[in-house]
Structures are given as C-alpha cells and as structure tokens.
Amino acid sequence: MSGPSDFQPTNPALKWIERRLPIMGLVHSSFVAYPTPRNLNYWWTFGAILSFMLAMQIATGVILAMHYTPHADLAFKSVELIVRDVNFGWLLRNMHACGASMFFFAVYVHMFRGLYYGSYKEPREVLWILGVIIYLLMMATGFMGYVLPWGQMSFWGATVITNLFSAIPYVGESIVTLLWGGYAVGNPTLNRFFSLHYLLPFVIAGVVVLHVWALHVAGQNNPAGVEMKTEKDSVPFTPHATIKDMFGVSVFLLLYAWFIFYMPNYLGDAENYVPANPGVTPAHIVPEWYYLPFYAILRSIPNKLAGVVAMFGAIIILAFLPWLDSARTKSSKYRPLAKQFFWIFVVVCIGLGYLGAQPPEGIYVIVGRILTVMYFAYFLVVLPLLARIEKPRPLPNSIADDVLAKTGSKTAPMVSTVIALMIAGGLFVGSAQNVSAAEGQQKPPANKWSFSGPFGKFDRGALQRGLKVYKEVCSACHGLSFVAFRNLADPGGPGYSTAQAAAFASEYKIKDGPNDQGEMFERPGRPADYFPSPFPNEQAARAANGGAAPPDLSLITKARTYGRGFPTFIFDFFTQYQEQGPDYLVALLQGYEDKPPAGFNLPAGSFYNTYFPGHAIKMPKPLSDGQVTFDDGSPATVAQYAKDVTTFLMWAAEPHMEARKRLGLQVFVFLILLAGLLYFTKKKVWATAH
Amino acid sequence: MAAVGAVATAWPFISQMNPDAATIAAGAPIEVDLTPIAEGQDIKVFWRGKPIYIMNRTKKQVEEAQKVPLSSLPDPQTDQQRTKAGHEQWLVVVGICTHLGCIPIAHEGQYDGFFCPCHGSVYDTSGRIRQGPAPANLAVPPYAFLSDTKIQIG
C-alpha cells in the first residue's frame, strides 16, 4: 500500500536531507498520504490509543526510575518518598500505575476488535502474530513492574509467577533458582526485574514498529472485511484518521484521568501498601486484574504442570488463530453464528476474570473449569467448525457501498451499548479482587467523610484532633514512620505553621549520631525528622505485644479494606468511593465487645472485635471516653476520637490528596473542552467522506 | 568453531544469574535448639530465605501420620521416611507449598497439618499432600540430630 512516496520537499535544506535519508517521504507516505478505509469505526482508534499509552508509560517510567531505588530494603520506602516528597511525584506514580491498567484495557479492546472483524485473516497473519508477541511482552513487563513497589502482593505475586516455571520437568527447579538469583525471591530478583522492566518497553516499541510496518504493507482491515479496491474506498490518513484518532485519544484520556485523579487505588490491591514480608503469605494472592482470566485457567486445572501449560496455552493459541479459523468471510458482521459465539466468548473471558479473583474453592472451581473448557473450545472447536458449516450473509461489493448503505441506518447506539458493556465488564473484573477479602468479615457502616468525593478536603480541626489522639494513645505502640514533622505544616495538611511544626518536633527525643566520640546521642527533634517508632524493630514489637506486631500506621488507611461485594463496587467507580480503609478503621476502633457472642471461642490474649477479620484481635480496646481532652470543645467520646484519628491517618497515608483532587478538576475541564473541539473538527473533516 | 565461541561467551551471561558467592555462603548450615518447643507446638526458622517448620508432634499426630495407608496418598511416602528414627515426634519440613510457593499455615486444614491459603492445598501432620493442586509433599530439608535437643539444618 505504501509504495515509494512522491513526496518532494521544496525547501533546499530539506531537499538535501531527503536525498540522503528519505525520512520525510517515509513519514508522508505512512502517516499522511497513506490510504485508510472509509468505513472505519471508533474501534479502530485503539491502535493510536495504544501507541499513546506506550509513549506515556515510557515517559513516566523513565522519570520514576530517576527516583526509585531497586533494593529489597529500600524499594517500598523509595516509592512512598516519590509519592510524598518529589514534586508531582504522586501524579507521575498514579499515571504510571493506572497507565498500566489503561494500557491493558486498550489492548483487550484492540484484540477483541481484531477477533470480531477477522483482522487476523489472510493477508494479516504476521501482523496478528506480532501483536500476540507484543501482548506477551506487555504481560512480562506489567508483571515485573508490579513487583517493583515491593509490597506484599508484589512479593507474593513474584513468588507465585516465578514458581510457575518449577512445573517444567527435570530442569524446573534450576530455572527458578536462575530467575531468583538466590534460594527465594529476594534482592537479586528485584534488581533484575527492575533492569528488565526498564528494557522491555523499548523492545515492545521495536516490535510495534514491525507491527505498524506489517499493517502498512497489508493495509488496514475494516468493519466490512472487504479489501480496498478503488480510490473511492479510502480516505487519506491525514487529516481523516489523524483527527479521528486524536478525538479517540482525548475521550480515552477522560477515563484515564478519572483513575489518576479520583480513583488511583481502585484497580490496585490494598495489600500492596503493606511492605513485602517473606514470612507471611497474604490470605488471597491475586494478580492484577488484567491477568485474572489466565490465573483462573491456571487454578481450575488440578494438575500443576497441566495448569501451567493451559495458562500459557491460552495465550499462545492466539498466535494460531489465523489457521484455526479458516472461514473466508472476515467480518463477524456477516457471520450470524460467529457473531453470537464471539459475544459468548467475551462473556467467558470476563467470567474467567471474575473467578480469577475468587478464592479457589467450591462452586468457583467448578464454574472455572466449565469456563476454561469453553475458552479453549472457542478456538479449537467452534471456530474451525463454523468455518465449515456457517452460511455467511452476502458481503457488500466494496467499502464505498458499505458506507452508502449505512448512511440511512445509524449503528451508533449499538456501538455505544457495546462500549458501555465493555467498560462495565472491565470494571467488574477490575474490582472483583476486592470481593476476595469479603468472607468472615462484617461490613463496616459507611461514614460521611469530608475528604470523599471529587471536591473532598480534609477537615483541619479533625486532623489536629486526630494528631493529638495519635500522639497520646496510638503512638505508644504504633509507628508513623513515613510522616515527618515538617509535613504538619504542609499545605493540605493539619494547617500548622512552620514554627508550630518545629515546636511540635522539639518535644520529641530523636536518636542521632555517631558524634565525634563515636557514640549515639539523643537530641530534640527537628522539622526534618520523622515520627520516631515506639519499637526498634519488628521482633521487639512482636515480643512486647503477645506475638502480634502493631503495624505502622503511615499507610494503614490504604492498606486495609473490606469486600464491597457485587454490584456495589461497580457503583463505586461512578461515585468515586475510595473510603473502604477509613470506614473499616473507624468501625474497628469502635467495634470492641466486652463479651464475645455465645459459642465464639476467643483465644487467650485476644479481644473480640466485630469488624476484625476472624474477630480475635490482639490489640486491646485502645480508646475510651474522656481519654483525650480536646482544646476546641469537641466531645471527648470514642466515636469522636475514632473519626478524628482516622481522618488524620488518611492524611498521613496520602498527604497530597487535596492537590490531587484540585488538579483533577482542572484537568477534566481542559479535557472536556479538548474532546469537544476535536469532535467538531473531526465532524468537519469527515463531512464529505460519509 | 565460531559456534563454540558463541556458546562459551554466552555462558557467563547466563551463569551470572545464579546465586552469587555471598548468597551461597549465607546459605551455610544452621543449628537449631529444640528445647523451647513444647509438645504440640512448632517454630518457624529461616534457612536460605526459606521458612522451615519444626514441629513437635503429639502422640496422636504421630500415630495419625503413621497409620495412613500409602495408597491413599498422591505422593506416597511413609512417615518414617520423612522423620529421623528415634526422633519420630519431630517433623522438619520446608514451609513452602509445592504448588506455587506460598507459605502454608501450620495446624490448619482438615488433617491438622498445614493449609495453604493461596490455592487451597491441604497437608497432613507429616507434611504430605492430601488435597488440592500441589503435586508433592512438603520437602524435608537435609538435617541431622547433633544431640537429642539440637539439629543442624543444611
């Protein structure tokens, strides 16, 4: 399609370059004059969206790498310091973390589009296979990236995934040791994953170049599935496709920004705000949502090796699709049966995704097996069979005919329904992981928080009172190690002046040294110091507290959650509900019962708490009425203490939350304007083409 | 010839990924004192970054483990093969699920042995797989009794 370009620059300097390196001609023939089918719908904008996301991930990733420390002891802290101390660090981190999810969301739409319209069929087999390779590379990159923050899910996800290779007969164990660089997942593993996570995106970019090259040789497929024949079938890439892609990207950005600014933790796992601990496995190990369907396949097969083979097979089988489906008609629009099976397949994939997040027991295992069989049957039975028995509807003679036939009947409502379905499905899978923690836990009641919603702000009074409760009660056992005294004077915080923060710091004794005599000494705290922890190390904390170490509270409101249940978590996406942690915490602090209910066997040294998972908590009832006196006359009740200290801890977990929501509003106003302008420009450009 | 050269050059590039000298040195044998572990209790020690469960089994647990017919086991091994003669009450196993490497919880599951929370594998009081996706019994690390109350792992 993109033959030698007839592009000739007029400027003599450009002419000089062009004669030696015809790069402008290449760009002109590939992205300006390049003919694209006239009948492409918005599903075709996802190619541009994906290119955009790749560029975004590389740009934010390179910057994050400048601040990140790939060491097992420092990685978790360095990520927190990026979010807290680096200018706009919270934004860059959210862009990168949510960007990974958006990247996968877009790639799934792109793949399903290819599946529906038969974009893998002759002459686009190589194009398709290159796409499968990109997808595999993306999965490897995404997995290694998830390991880098070195939280509990990072560590245990890495353990589970690397152990997949131990299923290989004879050499499996040696391969796993080779991957780890040790006898378990540890610092060497983190280091090499960081190196590879930095490398692979550039490999992806290289394969993307091949992918686009192959695309430009074969030409784009289109909804009608008939090839371009005459000039009337096509429009030039620029301005038509360019403006349409730009509009597509701007709409996609709205979704992306929704996550970045309002729901940054919606797709993540609360457990990953707990630093990696090789001695404790989380109750449910759940991969990121985009791997869940394959994880479900892995778990539904009771044999280890067979499970691993099936999981990888589920991806590899895509590469053979061009030969499994030998039907001559490309587009499912003209294949009445294939169309129905396609939608069943989409539901199967979403169903597998949901099951991947559920505990591997009972009905989930059985349904998982059924869906696994259906997944493979689609490729191995349904598609080969349909190619033989299905009677396709007549194809339009040309793309131009297809466009003319369509002008009367608008298909837009159908498309938007499908988009809504896809998003709902993605969300369904995405937040299904939250459901996993549900069992054996009573749901805490919802509270009204000043910091919830798109315009949420912290209540300064509550922050100051909460700080007092922390200082006088919680700090006896719990650290707050990521918060510095200087933060108390930061904008968006408790609203103290720099002098007040310094005075607050000076009340603390901080260990420093060594001095000139080589000895450690104590001095009054300075604003730059961090809240000192009550115990020198985890073992001491454990020994002093009956075997259960009191967790550090810096991130506790983000590290705790509870199952929202279906369909609440779908509504949460629209209401921006992000306060599971605070709701749980405030309920826990008030959830103590003097006597456990009859029949409950309370272990010695434990206390009964309605909202604690399993109910037996080692922490004694921490708050009682009148324990702390407030200067502002607020009631000295447990309810008030609990709410105030939770507000304070929410701020401690995310000190830049106000800045995030404020910037989010500005970005949304801008993006809506941009998308609107692009839409009308697009309409104008395409006015003659439809 | 060139192929030999290429393979020889590739070797250092692959070999560097294996555990380095410091890691190997840190994986030397360790000694564990058994006196603080009461009957029915267990401790978890780390050796080579792996949790090792040392369990002082009760008479009932030992009997249960010894009575199980081998034909009912997915990975048949007698309890005697998994413990040291004369020290039958002591079970020493690597606390890493043979499925995908999670740490099973001791004294849980329907066999009063170990239960893996990740994918639901259940092990008995001898650390043998009884139910779930794990293909093999919990590994027994190399160890020896230095005295009645002290073992060396490694």
Side-chain angles (χ1 to χ4, degrees):
Chain A
M1 284 288 158
S2 53
S5 174
D6 50 5
F7 177 74
Q8 275 305 325
T10 44
N11 182 305
L14 295 181
K15 250 184 187 158
W16 186 90
I17 295 172
E18 188 68 8
R19 244 196 343 271
R20 284 153 182 85
L21 180 73
I23 188 161
M24 283 164 281
L26 181 72
V27 169
H28 186 264
S29 64
S30 308
F31 299 108
V32 180
Y34 178 69
T36 68
R38 249 172 88 177
N39 60 343
L40 294 188
N41 55 33
Y42 276 107
W43 297 117
W44 263 264
T45 58
F46 277 84
I49 288 169
L50 284 163
S51 314
F52 172 81
M53 284 313 303
L54 178 62
M56 203 70 177
Q57 289 301 87
I58 290 180
T60 50
V62 167
I63 292 168
L64 288 174
M66 294 177 187
H67 302 281
Y68 169 78
T69 317
H71 187 281
D73 296 338
L74 306 169
F76 187 87
K77 188 166 187 191
S78 78
V79 171
E80 268 315 304
L81 294 185
I82 289 174
V83 169
R84 287 159 192 268
D85 287 347
V86 175
N87 294 336
F88 292 103
W90 59 269
L91 174 63
L92 293 161
R93 200 243 168 153
N94 286 356
M95 283 169 92
H96 198 71
C98 300
S101 281
M102 291 291 102
F103 202 166
F104 273 95
F105 172 68
V107 92
Y108 284 134
V109 174
H110 194 64
M111 288 161 75
F112 277 124
R113 190 266 290 155
L115 213 55
Y116 184 82
Y117 291 112
S119 300
Y120 46 86
K121 287 171 192 273
E122 200 273 316
R124 300 187 180 84
E125 297 93 332
V126 172
L127 172 62
W128 175 262
I129 291 170
L130 285 168
V132 175
I133 293 172
I134 293 172
Y135 177 53
L136 275 172
L137 286 169
M138 273 177 68
M139 292 184 102
T141 312
F143 158 65
M144 288 194 266
Y146 193 53
V147 173
L148 301 185
W150 211 239
Q152 270 290 67
M153 244 353 129
S154 301
F155 182 89
W156 289 100
T159 301
V160 168
I161 302 295
T162 48
N163 262 307
L164 292 178
F165 293 92
S166 70
I168 303 168
Y170 307 115
V171 292
E173 293 295 335
S174 324
I175 290 181
V176 173
T177 309
L178 193 76
L179 289 174
W180 288 339
Y183 302 110
V185 173
N187 192 48
T189 325
L190 175 61
N191 243 306
R192 63 191 55 179
F193 276 18
F194 175 62
S195 167
L196 292 174
H197 182 71
Y198 203 111
L199 166 74
L200 285 184
F202 297 97
V203 178
I204 293 178
V207 185
V208 165
V209 169
L210 295 181
H211 191 65
V212 172
W213 185 11
L215 173 74
H216 283 209
V217 171
Q220 281 169 292
N221 186 28
N222 60 80
V226 290
E227 299 297 325
M228 289 183 280
K229 288 168 199 143
T230 62
E231 198 120 304
K232 269 197 292 186
D233 290 343
S234 69
V235 288
F237 192 91
T238 303
H240 291 81
T242 323
I243 191 73
K244 196 169 176 176
D245 284 347
M246 279 170 73
F247 173 62
V249 170
S250 70
V251 171
F252 191 79
L253 275 175
L254 280 167
L255 179 68
Y256 184 20
W258 187 264
F259 282 110
I260 294 174
F261 293 105
Y262 297 124
M263 314 286 289
N265 296 313
Y266 184 71
L267 295 168
D269 198 298
E271 196 73 41
N272 225 25
Y273 280 109
V274 179
N277 183 347
V280 182
T281 309
H284 292 282
I285 296 187
V286 187
E288 286 290 77
W289 68 269
Y290 31 87
Y291 303 127
L292 286 174
F294 303 103
Y295 194 59
I297 291 176
L298 167 79
R299 297 197 308 187
S300 62
I301 294 177
N303 177 289
K304 180 175 171 181
L305 179 59
V308 174
V309 169
M311 190 187 81
F312 283 110
I315 306 165
I316 303 298
I317 201 167
L318 290 169
F320 296 94
L321 191 55
W323 296 277
L324 289 170
D325 175 16
S326 55
R328 300 277 299 274
T329 310
K330 289 197 185 95
S331 171
S332 294
K333 252 169 91 177
Y334 304 103
R335 301 180 60 188
L337 290 175
K339 187 194 258 177
Q340 290 173 31
F341 278 106
F342 169 82
W343 288 112
I344 294 172
F345 178 70
V346 172
V347 171
V348 166
C349 290
I350 292 174
L352 279 171
Y354 178 75
L355 292 171
Q358 304 307 314
E361 56 202 22
I363 183 78
Y364 297 128
V365 178
I366 297 160
V367 180
R369 287 184 185 153
I370 295 170
L371 292 187
T372 302
V373 170
M374 287 172 82
Y375 180 95
F376 284 103
Y378 179 71
F379 292 106
L380 297 174
V381 182
V382 174
L383 287 179
L385 206 63
L386 283 184
R388 266 152 236 225
I389 61 167
E390 189 180 32
K391 213 168 144 16
R393 295 214 306 263
L395 292 176
N397 285 324
S398 69
I399 291 175
D401 281 6
D402 181 46
V403 175
L404 288 176
K406 221 173 22 190
T407 17
S409 63
K410 273 275 175 220
T411 49
M414 186 280 218
V415 170
S416 52
T417 323
V418 169
I419 294 180
L421 254 174
M422 293 287 292
I423 292 178
L427 286 175
F428 182 66
V429 171
S431 42
Q433 53 210 50
N434 300 337
V435 184
S436 55
E439 78 248 26
Q441 195 182 348
Q442 188 159 341
K443 279 190 188 150
N447 292 272
K448 206 170 154 37
W449 298 107
S450 66
F451 50 81
S452 66
F455 308 107
K457 279 190 164 52
F458 289 115
D459 172 351
R460 308 272 167 250
L463 286 181
Q464 297 189 356
R465 292 191 299 271
L467 171 64
K468 195 161 190 222
V469 175
Y470 168 75
K471 192 185 169 191
E472 292 183 14
V473 184
C474 317
S475 66
C477 302
H478 294 279
L480 197 65
S481 53
F482 291 131
V483 181
F485 298 120
R486 65 185 155 84
N487 294 133
L488 298 174
D490 283 349
Y496 288 113
S497 68
T498 317
Q500 281 171 312
F504 187 90
S506 64
E507 293 169 22
Y508 282 82
K509 288 266 172 289
I510 303 291
K511 199 163 201 179
D512 202 349
N515 61 13
D516 291 346
Q517 281 73 46
E519 278 148 24
M520 304 301 282
F521 60 93
E522 279 194 338
R523 59 162 174 79
R526 301 175 189 138
D529 289 322
Y530 288 82
F531 275 84
S533 295
F535 300 102
N537 51 54
E538 200 197 315
Q539 283 76 1
R542 205 174 281 282
N545 289 282
D552 191 274
L553 295 183
S554 313
L555 284 163
I556 203 79
T557 52
K558 291 208 275 186
R560 294 291 182 271
T561 187
Y562 66 91
R564 291 289 284 167
F566 176 80
T568 321
F569 62 81
I570 293 181
F571 304 142
D572 287 348
F573 170 76
F574 299 101
T575 59
Q576 300 185 352
Y577 179 80
Q578 287 262 283
E579 285 77 34
Q580 287 102 318
D583 279 347
Y584 167 73
L585 219 63
V586 84
L588 181 93
L589 289 171
Q590 303 174 78
Y592 283 85
E593 301 287 341
D594 293 336
K595 283 206 174 65
F600 184 83
N601 186 14
L602 193 67
S606 296
F607 303 88
Y608 186 86
N609 191 306
T610 315
Y611 297 102
F612 191 70
H615 302 305
I617 190 169
K618 288 274 190 179
M619 173 169 78
K621 186 172 187 282
L623 298 166
S624 46
D625 289 342
Q627 196 174 2
V628 181
T629 333
F630 290 136
D631 307 330
D632 63 357
S634 296
T637 59
V638 170
Q640 183 72 29
Y641 296 153
K643 194 139 192 215
D644 288 343
V645 81
T646 303
T647 306
F648 171 70
L649 291 175
M650 186 66 227
W651 168 78
E654 200 183 344
H656 295 301
M657 194 205 71
E658 289 188 7
R660 162 162 74 82
K661 291 184 173 177
R662 195 169 51 237
L663 186 58
L665 186 66
Q666 294 162 354
V667 167
F668 262 86
V669 170
F670 170 80
L671 280 180
I672 289 168
L673 280 176
L674 177 73
L677 289 174
L678 284 171
Y679 177 72
F680 289 111
T681 320
K682 184 250 155 195
K683 252 192 123 111
K684 195 141 190 249
V685 169
W686 281 78
T688 49
H690 276 312
Chain B
M1 201 62 207
V4 172
V7 170
T9 313
W11 179 243
F13 284 83
I14 295 166
S15 174
Q16 55 80 24
M17 287 178 74
N18 266 319
D20 63 16
T23 310
I24 294 171
I30 54 164
E31 287 178 10
V32 183
D33 180 18
L34 302 180
T35 35
I37 316 169
E39 188 172 298
Q41 301 283 305
D42 64 275
I43 60 163
K44 195 163 67 174
V45 296
F46 276 85
W47 175 65
R48 293 191 164 179
K50 292 174 183 169
I52 311 272
Y53 278 110
I54 303 173
M55 197 182 259
N56 190 349
R57 300 186 291 179
T58 59
K59 284 236 160 49
K60 185 168 154 279
Q61 286 178 313
V62 176
E63 270 168 33
E64 272 172 14
Q66 290 178 345
K67 266 202 310 228
V68 179
L70 283 190
S71 54
S72 69
L73 296 172
D75 181 12
Q77 253 187 330
T78 62
D79 191 53
Q80 283 82 358
Q81 283 170 321
R82 298 177 55 78
T83 52
K84 304 280 180 204
H87 302 283
E88 277 85 5
Q89 83 264 37
W90 294 102
L91 179 73
V92 182
V93 287
V94 178
I96 290 183
C97 181
T98 53
H99 182 226
L100 293 173
C102 299
I103 300 181
I105 304 163
H107 300 298
E108 277 205 22
Q110 65 202 83
Y111 297 97
D112 193 27
F114 303 86
F115 170 74
C116 180
C118 294
H119 305 101
S121 294
V122 185
Y123 300 87
D124 66 11
T125 49
S126 189
R128 292 173 297 199
I129 180 67
R130 299 297 286 270
Q131 194 187 315
N137 302 333
L138 292 180
V140 177
Y143 73 98
F145 276 86
L146 300 177
S147 70
D148 275 353
T149 56
K150 191 176 252 189
I151 58 169
Q152 174 176 303
I153 301 174

